[in-house]
Amino acid sequence: MRCRTMTLLCGIMASVLLAGTTATAATTQSDSLETSIRQHMAEAGIMGIGAAIIVDNRLAWSKGYGWADKARQRPFTPDTVMNIGSISKTVTGMAMMRAVQDGKLSLDADINAYLPFKIRNQFYPNASITLRQLATHTASLTDRWAVYQNTYYYNGDEPEALADFLRGYFTPGGAHYAIENFLNHMPGTHREYSNIGAALAGYIVERAVGEPLNSYTRRHFFEPLLMQNSSWSLSEIGENRHATLYIAQNELTTPIPLYRSTTYPDGGLRTSVSDLSKLFIALLNGGSYNGTRILDEAMVAEMLRFQYTDGNKPANVDLKEDNAGLFWSTKFNVTRIGHGGTDPGLKTEMLASLDKDVGLVLFSNTSLSGEAMRHYIAIFRELWQYAESLKANRDSSAP
């Protein structure tokens, strides 16, 4: 009996010692990570960083560094609100799938069934364009930069209405129309990333559901998930709550005015790391977060599955380097899934492992280039390594 008791006590003591060693190692790793992040930020001129790590569909770690607004001494935290660039397309994709779920849209119908004006690629006038093609960037549409750069509005200027812009861009005789707005490729056969195509998908959702994207996503996603700091409208967020945006260039980090965009479904969502993490977990978890379901599992599965296969892919895609879901992308040679965002004054990532057991949300309120961008990528990689260590620790401690 005594031997069995001693064995049990030794086992308990070993477990306690192992737990203490693991905790000490984790603390040391966390301290080293923080030092490295702050050093990269200083060398790159990054003003603020916010990040969250997701492990097994749970928030495992979250923190902010630097400034949301340096002049006002407001620190950047996981609750800091900022626009997130093209990660917004994923939320537009979720709204699209919700409309499909409710029978209001079909992914493979001609989009002209949902529009008050007709869109045809004049190189292939008999070929239909579909929502699936818009969501995989194979709709034969292109962003003509001379036009697209003018869709950003600063200093309170009122953006052109999305419907007016799209009509003027895609219909002959329109204010922004040119044959160069289309590619000389059959829809579905060539991949070219199109922000305006994503905006068109958002507009189609609005037409189909009969309400603005802002209120539709609030009702179906933001409110159920208690995402209280998320909106497509700058006026709803308020400039005093919004992070200041900066540009790092030539060893200077300079604030820029906040802005709005005509093509808001492609990049206009404003949210926080904390809020977006909830939405990300819901996607990784088949449409459910903490028992709250926002999309049917089948809809999420279709949105996230790889749409390109050996027998059905754009001619210019190498499957070893690239694949796509519906407004859902691969990165790092098909080793990460999710979406990123780049716009004036910001850089964001929302990526997960292919098996969805590790995820990372990373915001910066500073746009970067050259050497500064390499520091941002280094921060991402170090955070990812930390996420994997948290996953390994969780696995090793599981009964």
Side-chain angles (χ1 to χ4, degrees), residues 57 94 97-98 101 220-221 224-225 278-304 328 356:
N57 298 326
M94 294 176 68
M97 297 310 294
R98 178 67 193 225
Q101 175 181 308
H220 289 295
F221 306 144
L225 297 185
K278 298 176 183 178
L279 206 68
F280 195 24
I281 290 172
L283 281 175
L284 299 178
N285 193 39
S288 179
Y289 172 81
N290 276 356
T292 299
R293 177 160 296 282
I294 57 172
L295 269 177
D296 286 350
E297 193 167 357
M299 294 294 102
V300 176
E302 180 62 17
M303 180 178 169
L304 271 54
W328 181 259
K356 306 182 186 70

Side-chain angles (χ1 to χ4, degrees), residues 90-393:
T90 297
V91 185
T92 295
M94 294 176 68
M96 178 182 72
M97 297 310 294
R98 178 67 193 225
V100 171
Q101 175 181 308
D102 293 341
K104 296 180 178 180
L105 286 174
S106 169
L107 293 174
D108 298 306
D110 189 324
I111 59 172
N112 287 312
Y114 309 113
L115 291 170
F117 48 85
K118 188 174 181 179
I119 297 180
R120 277 286 188 265
N121 183 335
Q122 296 304 308
F123 294 109
Y124 297 91
N126 296 320
S128 296
I129 294 172
T130 68
L131 276 169
R132 189 184 302 275
Q133 291 166 355
L134 291 177
T136 55
H137 299 286
T138 60
S140 74
L141 311 179
T142 187
D143 298 340
R144 189 156 52 93
W145 181 244
V147 174
Y148 186 69
Q149 66 180 336
N150 294 320
T151 62
Y152 290 80
Y153 289 79
Y154 294 82
N155 297 316
D157 291 339
E158 188 66 27
E160 181 180 7
L162 177 60
D164 293 341
F165 173 81
L166 293 172
R167 185 191 297 270
Y169 192 81
F170 287 121
T171 59
H176 311 297
Y177 181 81
I179 192 67
E180 291 80 15
N181 296 348
F182 299 87
L183 301 173
N184 192 0
H185 293 280
M186 175 82 76
T189 65
H190 182 91
R191 186 182 192 278
E192 176 155 316
Y193 190 88
S194 175
N195 291 288
I196 298 174
L200 176 59
Y203 175 63
I204 290 171
V205 171
E206 292 183 334
R207 293 270 306 172
V209 302
E211 65 179 300
L213 193 63
N214 190 31
S215 60
Y216 188 69
T217 52
R218 186 191 311 116
R219 284 198 303 112
H220 289 295
F221 306 144
F222 304 158
E223 288 180 351
L225 297 185
L226 302 180
M227 296 171 60
Q228 299 175 346
N229 294 314
S230 300
S231 177
W232 299 83
S233 170
L234 177 58
S235 63
E236 288 185 4
I237 294 296
E239 294 193 14
N240 290 334
R241 294 175 53 215
H242 200 289
T244 299
L245 303 180
Y246 299 85
I247 292 179
Q249 190 174 17
N250 299 327
E251 299 184 359
L252 293 174
T253 302
T254 307
I256 64 172
L258 298 182
Y259 50 86
R260 293 182 292 167
S261 173
T262 293
T263 60
Y264 56 87
D266 72 2
L269 182 63
R270 302 167 196 278
T271 188
S272 67
V273 166
S274 296
D275 272 11
L276 187 64
S277 296
K278 298 176 183 178
L279 206 68
F280 195 24
I281 290 172
L283 281 175
L284 299 178
N285 193 39
S288 179
Y289 172 81
N290 276 356
T292 299
R293 177 160 296 282
I294 57 172
L295 269 177
D296 286 350
E297 193 167 357
M299 294 294 102
V300 176
E302 180 62 17
M303 180 178 169
L304 271 54
R305 79 171 176 88
F306 287 169
Q307 301 284 314
Y308 307 154
T309 65
D310 286 325
N312 181 26
K313 70 176 185 67
N316 62 329
V317 166
D318 182 342
L319 294 181
K320 295 178 181 178
E321 299 177 356
D322 192 20
N323 213 310
L326 304 176
F327 293 126
W328 181 259
S329 303
T330 62
K331 281 197 173 185
F332 302 109
N333 292 330
V334 199
T335 62
R336 304 287 184 268
I337 50 174
H339 218 295
T342 303
D343 251 336
L346 67 93
K347 184 73 183 79
T348 58
E349 297 290 350
M350 183 187 75
L351 295 175
S353 56
L354 295 184
D355 56 13
K356 306 182 186 70
D357 61 353
V358 173
L360 174 61
V361 176
L362 178 60
F363 286 8
S364 170
N365 62 338
T366 310
S367 57
L368 311 162
S369 60
E371 184 64 27
M373 179 59 75
R374 284 191 281 274
H375 284 287
Y376 177 89
I377 294 171
I379 290 172
F380 177 89
R381 293 187 185 279
E382 291 181 21
L383 283 167
W384 190 270
Q385 290 175 358
Y386 186 54
E388 290 183 328
S389 72
L390 293 178
K391 168 64 176 172
N393 288 340

Side-chain angles (χ1 to χ4, degrees), residues 61-80:
W61 175 94
S62 187
K63 196 160 187 179
Y65 303 89
W67 300 108
D69 186 326
K70 186 175 182 180
R72 298 181 183 180
Q73 296 287 284
R74 284 199 294 127
F76 202 110
T77 76
D79 294 318
T80 295

Side-chain angles (χ1 to χ4, degrees), residues 36-50:
S36 180
I37 288 175
R38 293 191 184 280
Q39 182 175 345
H40 283 301
M41 290 176 67
E43 293 182 14
I46 297 173
M47 193 59 66
I49 285 278

